[in-house]
Amino acid sequence: MAEQKRDCYEVLGLQKGASDSEIKKAFYKLAKQYHPDANPGDKAAEERFKEVNEAYSVLSDSEKRARYDQFGWAGLDPSAGGGGFGGFSEGFDMGDIFGDLFGGIFGGGGGARRNANGPRRGEDVSVRLTLTFEEAAFGCKKEINYARVDACPTCSGSGGTGVETCTKCGGRGQVTVQQRTPFGYMQSSQACDACRGKGKIIKNPCKDCKGTGRLRRNKVIEVKVPGGIDNGQRISLRGQGNAGINGGSAGDLYVAVTVRPHEVFTRDGFDLLCDLPITFVEAALGAKVIVPTLEGQGELTIPEGTQSGTTFCIKGKGVQQLNGKGRGDLLVTVEVEVPKGLGKKQKDALTAFGELCEDKHYAKKHSFFSKFKKK
């Protein structure tokens, strides 16, 4: 019954006398909030959605709004000669209302519809490239063989001859379909079945690309890998992806880099880390020892009395920085190796050596046990 319905202005949260733009803005907000697609299975939201649409259908129509403002719902009662109102009126195009809200899924909303004959950018392509540790550190050049979609050379990407605008969709690539729903008549857009959404029909399709204008082909290109690239990073090559459509630009090629681990070095940013075993004698007396670098062998001076776990820095022997400004460092951590499998003479020599040493020669041991003596 008409007298049981809520006031249209109250439903939309407006005051009487609200402008057309205020009415439309309030409707957009509430329709999006209570739309069935956003509230699946929610009966209360569904009823609220109907109420909001009914209120908007009245207030957005100047003639209905004038009758409603003067007589209320009675002015729209068929028995009162008001022309009747039963939810959505015939011809009420939901596409015009929801095109901006839901990307044109209801049709209409010309701004959301893409021109089927307009230029479209090609898709991006991704490939994976595996490098050795040294190749990543210093940079290199690599050939990559991959598949991409190119413009058909036979038809130069046109798809064939005898190209005509589709008469069914008028070249838009979409057709509008009207359906009756519980909310009234709604219009939706779908791909044109005559031209398969392309907006044009080719009378004589190219025999090689079957009218698509594009072919998948293998491509070999040389990639310059910058020194310092790390595992998991990628290289972007502009315009080396799939060809565009209708004159659109080509997509990009993304090269995802995997770096094999090194047997000796690990990487920390642009620095290299290395564990170097040395003998007890080298640590105690000091020595010059061979140390590995990415370029080959180097030399490191071990000071007398070096403790296990001490780290030495060799400047500029790390990884090339990506910006080309210098290199990181090589950080060498020494590990003093305790000898095993000693013979009698070696053991006797070490025993005699141990007897000659005093507490002052073992500062850490002396400090540790002195803590117990104080208690």
Side-chain angles (χ1 to χ4, degrees):
M1 295 176 61
E3 61 271 14
Q4 294 178 331
K5 294 182 179 181
R6 292 174 65 200
D7 178 73
C8 288
Y9 294 100
E10 179 185 346
V11 169
L12 297 181
L14 299 170
Q15 296 292 327
K16 191 172 182 179
S19 66
D20 291 342
S21 61
E22 290 174 330
I23 293 172
K24 193 170 186 178
K25 183 178 180 181
F27 169 71
Y28 271 31
K29 179 181 178 181
L30 294 172
K32 187 174 184 179
Q33 179 181 353
Y34 294 108
H35 193 276
D37 287 349
N39 304 275
D42 189 335
K43 293 295 183 182
E46 182 178 321
E47 291 301 318
R48 187 80 169 91
F49 180 72
K50 291 180 182 180
E51 185 181 43
V52 168
N53 278 287
E54 186 178 41
Y56 180 74
S57 185
V58 172
L59 300 183
S60 63
D61 185 310
S62 58
E63 184 179 342
K64 288 181 181 179
R65 182 180 180 182
R67 293 202 304 269
Y68 178 79
D69 286 346
Q70 186 173 3
F71 303 107
W73 285 110
L76 304 174
D77 191 335
S79 61
F85 180 80
F88 296 119
S89 60
E90 295 295 329
F92 184 64
D93 188 356
M94 291 298 291
D96 291 338
I97 302 302
F98 290 107
D100 293 334
L101 290 176
F102 302 102
I105 61 173
F106 293 98
R113 180 180 294 156
R114 181 174 60 187
N115 182 1
N117 290 321
R120 293 191 314 211
R121 183 180 181 275
E123 302 85 359
D124 295 331
V125 177
S126 295
V127 297
R128 185 165 292 279
L129 176 63
T130 300
L131 303 173
T132 66
F133 196 89
E134 288 81 2
E135 287 173 334
F138 295 118
C140 60
K141 291 182 179 179
K142 287 285 187 177
E143 279 194 349
I144 294 180
N145 189 330
Y146 69 104
R148 75 179 186 189
V149 176
D150 283 338
C152 174
T154 304
C155 65
S156 300
S158 66
T161 59
V163 181
E164 297 179 353
T165 300
C166 177
T167 56
K168 184 171 183 178
C169 65
R172 295 187 302 273
Q174 293 181 318
V175 291
T176 301
V177 179
Q178 189 172 10
Q179 294 177 309
R180 186 179 183 86
T181 73
F183 311 117
Y185 282 101
M186 290 188 182
Q187 293 184 2
S188 62
S189 295
Q190 62 185 36
C192 176
D193 57 352
C195 64
R196 297 182 180 179
K198 295 180 179 179
K200 59 185 178 182
I201 294 176
I202 302 174
K203 293 293 185 181
N204 304 305
C206 172
K207 58 182 176 60
D208 289 335
C209 67
K210 305 298 187 294
T212 63
R214 303 199 301 170
L215 285 175
R216 181 171 290 276
R217 309 171 73 182
N218 282 338
K219 178 75 174 178
V220 178
I221 64 172
E222 185 178 74
V223 178
K224 184 177 181 181
V225 180
I229 197 166
D230 206 352
N231 187 66
Q233 294 181 329
R234 67 180 188 175
I235 303 168
S236 174
L237 300 175
R238 296 269 184 188
Q240 295 296 333
N242 289 341
I245 300 174
N246 297 330
S249 61
D252 299 332
L253 173 65
Y254 291 101
V255 182
V257 172
T258 298
V259 181
R260 295 194 187 101
H262 198 276
E263 294 181 349
V264 175
F265 302 111
T266 55
R267 183 170 169 176
D268 182 14
F270 297 110
D271 293 334
L272 292 179
L273 309 180
C274 172
D275 292 331
L276 178 68
I278 61 174
T279 68
F280 168 76
V281 175
E282 290 171 334
L285 303 181
K288 290 185 181 293
V289 298
I290 299 299
V291 62
T293 70
L294 286 177
E295 291 91 342
Q297 291 184 348
E299 190 176 73
L300 176 65
T301 299
I302 304 295
E304 178 182 330
T306 293
Q307 303 298 307
S308 187
T310 302
T311 299
F312 298 92
C313 177
I314 303 177
K315 292 288 186 180
K317 288 297 182 179
V319 176
Q320 172 69 48
Q321 296 188 21
L322 279 173
N323 59 15
K325 296 180 179 179
R327 293 172 56 179
D329 301 327
L330 172 59
L331 304 177
V332 181
T333 301
V334 296
E335 295 180 353
V336 178
E337 184 176 8
V338 177
K340 297 180 179 179
L342 299 178
K344 184 177 184 307
K345 288 184 178 181
Q346 294 164 325
K347 291 180 179 179
D348 290 343
L350 281 178
T351 300
F353 169 78
E355 291 175 349
L356 292 173
C357 291
E358 301 175 4
D359 286 349
K360 65 180 181 180
H361 297 118
Y362 298 100
K364 288 185 178 180
K365 182 179 179 181
H366 177 72
S367 175
F368 178 80
F369 283 102
S370 65
K371 296 176 183 177
F372 292 95
K373 295 177 181 178
K374 293 178 180 179
K375 293 182 179 179

